[in-house]
Amino acid sequence: MKIDRLKITNYRNLEDLEIEPNSGLNLIFGPNGSGKTNFCEAIHFVSTGDNIKGSRQRELINWDSNYALVRMGLLNVEEIVVYLEEGEGKEIKINSKSGRQSDLRSLVPTHTFVPEDLYISKGPPRRRRSLLNRHLSQLSSGYGHLLSDYNAELKKKNTLLKKDEINEEFLEVLSERLIELGARITGERADYLKKLNQYLPEIYGQFVQTDEKLNLSYTEDGLIDRSQEELEELLSDRLERNREKELDRGTSVVGPHRDKFEYLLDGRDLRTFGSQGELRTAVIATYLAYLELYEKKFNELPILVLDDILSELDRARGEAFLENLPEAPQIFMTTATRSPSFRKLSGEFTVLKIQDGVIERQ
Amino acid sequence: MIEPLERVISEFKKLPGIGQKTAERLIFHLLTRDSDEVYRLSEALKGLTEEVKRCQVCGNFSLGDKCEICSDPKRDRGKICVVSRPWDIAKIESTHKYEGLYHVLGGLVNPIEDVSPEDLSISELTERAKDDRVEEVILALEPKTEGESTSMYIVKKLRPLDVEVSRIAQGIPVGRDLEFTDKATLGKAFEGRRGVD
């Protein structure tokens, strides 16, 4: 899959940008504020229907306009348009017909990496949880639905727990639902971690000279290789033990929405003793491992959008990243400076320059 | 804008799926029609509140105290199909596949919207199911999370009674390609597969 044509209108500071990108690697240079990040965001927006930063709609539309539009042509899809009008919802058109966000995901598999992602290893557990959710939504059919069902039931249970009068039987129904859905989520996550850890140590070793093994693991023991029934039993026991606490606090305190994951280097928590560089490298390694699993499953890599990764890595690790760049059908990689590291790139690539919202080939 | 227009627009905007723009469009359309037509519309709307009642037995729309289905002697009194809204009945009726009675819950349990089981006609349903003639209760609630948990709650309530409880099947719409069926639906269709006679 590859983007043949891209036209961005009034998306943030990009008033009118048009390009027919090449396949393979597209290196995009531009000073700060030139619109590099907005360019990446716009590609993510038209291929997923989502705004990667979760910004408010008004912020996505250029200040001098009341609508934003990203239009894209692909090999097998004539035209995909995602349209945003001030005060109205978002509209998706696929070959002039109304489409849904889920249609986009299957038509244009895209994976976007933003600099903030590099702090996943360092920040609170919720970041690693959302990383796993993002990966699993792509790799496992049904995971996205599973998660949204779980979250919907969780929200209901939390609302119910806060009420003065609680219908005990309905609370029990919601708990049963959460146990069943929750155990499935935990099972999926455990399976994914197991697969991920088959690749992580080797990939990490390509960036850091070490014999120590990197793993991403559940903080809680004993969740790997369990059957659905065993996981349901575990979850049900924990819910039972925390029943009073939940009623007391008016919120659900156990379940996969509280799952914790840590990066371990030979069993030691990377967060407490790893350097900044090692922490970021752990994320890069996870990303590459995910892509290996993705390719194994779908026989092709997604389109990659890599916003300014290199500036966050030191020179040696930046070069290691370029040397290990996945062979995706199309990659958009932005950077502020022309680093000497680009010597490390093998094969052909296209150089683009973006300035004041205009993009051109070099 | 002048007051009578503002008033109608603000009423229209309370309807589902209608915003400022659509409301304005509808009103400008009405203003261009002759007054008879607009009068007929307002009379028809008035009839909604004056003539349409709810069936005392099942909660369906009705002209009298008992709806057409509940008072039809040919209907199978051994079966009660549970739906959340009255218009689901019309939909199921249009299939001509079901001869039994109905029961309208009046919504789905959802603590977020402050709908608890007591707000729905669930106790009325269990009372009806106690009738010896009733053999089966069929749950036909929307296959989303609210429908799921409401169904589970009803199953709990009916368990002590001597009735079969079943749920309508979920799966791939007729005439639809597998390719364009979403994963959740396809998964449900597999779970609910059955042997070929």
Side-chain angles (χ1 to χ4, degrees):
Chain A
M1 185 55 57
K2 137 183 198 291
I3 301 173
D4 284 332
R5 282 165 289 115
L6 185 71
K7 186 169 160 56
I8 303 168
T9 314
N10 298 328
Y11 189 94
R12 296 204 197 251
N13 79 339
L14 305 175
E15 288 173 23
D16 182 22
L17 183 150
E18 212 172 340
I19 186 175
E20 294 183 2
N22 288 344
S23 53
L25 175 62
N26 290 273
L27 262 182
I28 301 147
F29 292 102
N32 289 330
S34 58
K36 293 192 302 283
T37 293
N38 295 345
F39 179 74
C40 290
E41 261 191 48
I43 297 178
H44 185 82
F45 183 64
V46 71
S47 50
T48 61
D50 271 334
N51 163 245
I52 195 155
K53 290 211 184 106
S55 311
R56 270 180 303 168
Q57 188 175 308
R58 186 64 193 96
E59 294 166 24
L60 304 182
I61 302 172
N62 189 289
W63 273 113
D64 298 326
S65 178
N66 59 358
Y67 75 96
L69 178 78
V70 186
R71 199 184 283 273
M72 159 169 84
L74 303 158
L75 191 63
N76 58 343
V77 190
E78 191 58 34
E79 189 174 68
I80 292 177
V81 184
V82 183
Y83 178 80
L84 208 55
E85 191 181 328
E86 199 180 338
E88 303 281 315
K90 160 179 64 194
E91 223 179 297
I92 298 170
K93 295 263 182 203
I94 299 166
N95 290 340
S96 312
K97 279 193 209 145
S98 276
R100 288 184 307 178
Q101 233 171 309
S102 53
D103 299 327
L104 288 182
R105 285 182 193 284
S106 49
L107 281 174
V108 221
T110 305
H111 200 94
T112 308
F113 196 98
V114 295
E116 290 79 17
D117 287 342
L118 287 165
Y119 297 91
I120 284 168
S121 51
K122 195 183 167 192
R126 65 167 68 240
R127 294 213 186 154
R128 292 179 285 288
R129 212 158 47 224
S130 91
L131 175 86
L132 287 189
N133 286 343
R134 243 162 57 193
H135 288 183
L136 273 165
S137 302
Q138 295 291 330
L139 291 177
S140 166
S141 57
Y143 185 82
H145 280 287
L146 189 59
L147 198 63
S148 72
D149 281 359
Y150 179 86
N151 287 332
E153 300 292 37
L154 184 68
K155 207 169 149 198
K156 280 182 223 154
K157 184 176 165 188
N158 286 341
T159 313
L160 194 60
L161 283 169
K162 286 184 187 67
K163 292 200 195 279
D164 296 332
E165 266 179 54
I166 296 176
N167 182 318
E168 295 275 342
E169 268 175 300
F170 193 69
L171 184 63
E172 204 182 311
V173 163
L174 286 179
S175 296
E176 280 173 32
R177 281 274 290 160
L178 286 169
I179 288 168
E180 198 247 330
L181 296 168
R184 279 163 65 189
I185 291 174
T186 304
E188 292 257 13
R189 287 176 177 169
D191 282 353
Y192 179 57
L193 287 176
K194 198 178 160 188
K195 285 188 204 153
L196 206 56
N197 288 330
Q198 289 168 354
Y199 291 93
L200 268 184
E202 196 197 319
I203 298 177
Y204 187 73
Q206 288 163 352
F207 289 86
V208 182
Q209 288 295 326
T210 179
D211 295 328
E212 294 177 307
K213 281 198 164 65
L214 179 76
N215 267 230
L216 180 58
S217 305
Y218 254 114
T219 310
E220 197 187 326
D221 288 329
L223 295 177
I224 309 287
D225 287 331
R226 295 290 187 138
S227 70
Q228 170 74 10
E229 289 71 29
E230 288 173 314
L231 290 171
E232 279 183 19
E233 214 166 288
L234 270 171
L235 197 48
S236 157
D237 283 351
R238 285 171 68 200
L239 266 174
E240 195 50 51
R241 266 182 281 133
N242 287 282
R243 209 182 132 77
E244 290 304 315
K245 200 169 164 188
E246 293 199 325
L247 286 165
D248 211 38
R249 294 199 189 163
T251 189
S252 308
V253 297
V254 290
H257 60 290
R258 292 287 184 97
D259 274 355
K260 290 191 177 68
F261 313 93
E262 304 300 339
Y263 282 99
L264 302 177
L265 201 54
D266 265 1
R268 292 184 301 163
D269 187 349
L270 198 62
R271 265 215 295 179
T272 42
F273 77 93
S275 70
Q276 300 299 322
E278 284 169 332
L279 280 160
R280 288 175 202 175
T281 308
V283 182
I284 300 268
T286 312
Y287 184 57
L288 295 172
Y290 159 72
L291 290 174
E292 294 254 7
L293 291 166
Y294 187 101
E295 192 174 17
K296 246 188 162 166
K297 181 167 169 112
F298 299 109
N299 294 320
E300 190 183 43
L301 284 166
I303 295 169
L304 301 181
V305 181
L306 309 168
D307 187 24
D308 213 11
I309 288 196
L310 294 175
S311 67
E312 303 283 330
L313 298 175
D314 65 26
R315 179 152 166 205
R317 286 178 189 143
E319 286 181 0
F321 180 70
L322 292 176
E323 276 178 281
N324 288 292
L325 203 61
E327 287 182 19
Q330 196 169 37
I331 305 176
F332 297 93
M333 181 155 80
T334 66
T335 175
T337 49
R338 280 168 205 266
S339 140
S341 312
F342 290 121
R343 284 180 293 115
K344 294 283 174 187
L345 284 170
S346 54
E348 291 200 7
F349 56 89
T350 312
V351 176
L352 300 162
K353 192 171 172 240
I354 191 164
Q355 183 127 36
D356 302 324
V358 177
I359 197 161
E360 53 192 33
R361 252 173 251 266
Q362 293 279 287
Chain B
M1 206 176 292
I2 53 174
E3 202 273 334
L5 290 184
E6 288 277 21
R7 204 166 54 204
V8 188
I9 287 177
S10 88
E11 289 303 320
F12 270 31
K13 274 163 68 181
K14 292 177 191 164
L15 300 173
I18 295 191
Q20 180 75 24
K21 277 185 186 170
T22 316
E24 284 173 12
R25 212 168 54 231
L26 289 171
I27 278 144
F28 292 134
H29 172 81
L30 289 173
L31 286 172
T32 62
R33 316 303 293 183
D34 50 82
S35 53
D36 272 4
E37 199 175 315
V38 180
Y39 183 75
R40 277 201 301 278
L41 175 67
S42 70
E43 283 298 297
L45 289 174
K46 240 167 91 187
L48 273 183
T49 53
E50 288 168 1
E51 293 164 38
V52 181
K53 299 192 177 70
R54 299 298 282 268
C55 172
Q56 298 295 310
V57 181
C58 72
N60 190 8
F61 294 134
S62 170
L63 289 173
D65 287 343
K66 223 170 167 189
C67 74
E68 284 181 332
I69 295 172
C70 285
S71 32
D72 182 349
K74 290 200 288 291
R75 303 292 296 209
D76 178 356
R77 275 156 216 278
K79 293 187 175 69
I80 298 176
C81 173
V82 182
V83 295
S84 68
R85 301 277 175 199
W87 42 87
D88 297 332
I89 294 181
K91 201 79 203 172
I92 295 173
E93 282 298 289
S94 72
T95 66
H96 300 290
K97 291 276 180 195
Y98 180 66
E99 307 266 285
L101 304 176
Y102 291 94
H103 189 86
V104 180
L105 287 181
L108 297 169
V109 186
N110 187 350
I112 296 163
E113 286 166 11
D114 217 13
V115 182
S116 63
E118 298 81 41
D119 299 321
L120 308 175
S121 61
I122 295 175
S123 54
E124 287 86 341
L125 173 67
T126 48
E127 276 312 306
R128 286 181 73 189
K130 281 177 189 160
D131 187 329
D132 281 343
R133 285 177 295 177
V134 177
E135 291 158 4
E136 183 183 4
V137 173
I138 303 157
L139 300 172
L141 305 177
E142 287 95 320
K144 53 181 186 178
T145 57
E146 288 77 24
E148 199 75 35
S149 42
T150 307
S151 294
M152 278 170 70
Y153 181 82
I154 295 174
V155 169
K156 263 184 200 293
K157 286 289 180 187
L158 294 175
R159 204 169 281 150
L161 306 180
D162 184 22
V163 284
E164 299 274 357
V165 184
S166 63
R167 295 184 61 178
I168 56 167
Q170 300 174 13
I172 303 155
V174 174
R176 191 163 175 147
D177 287 331
L178 275 192
E179 194 188 342
F180 297 113
T181 304
D182 69 280
K183 294 174 214 164
T185 308
L186 197 52
K188 290 275 184 201
F190 262 91
E191 281 169 20
R193 72 185 183 277
R194 59 175 187 202
V196 180
D197 326 311

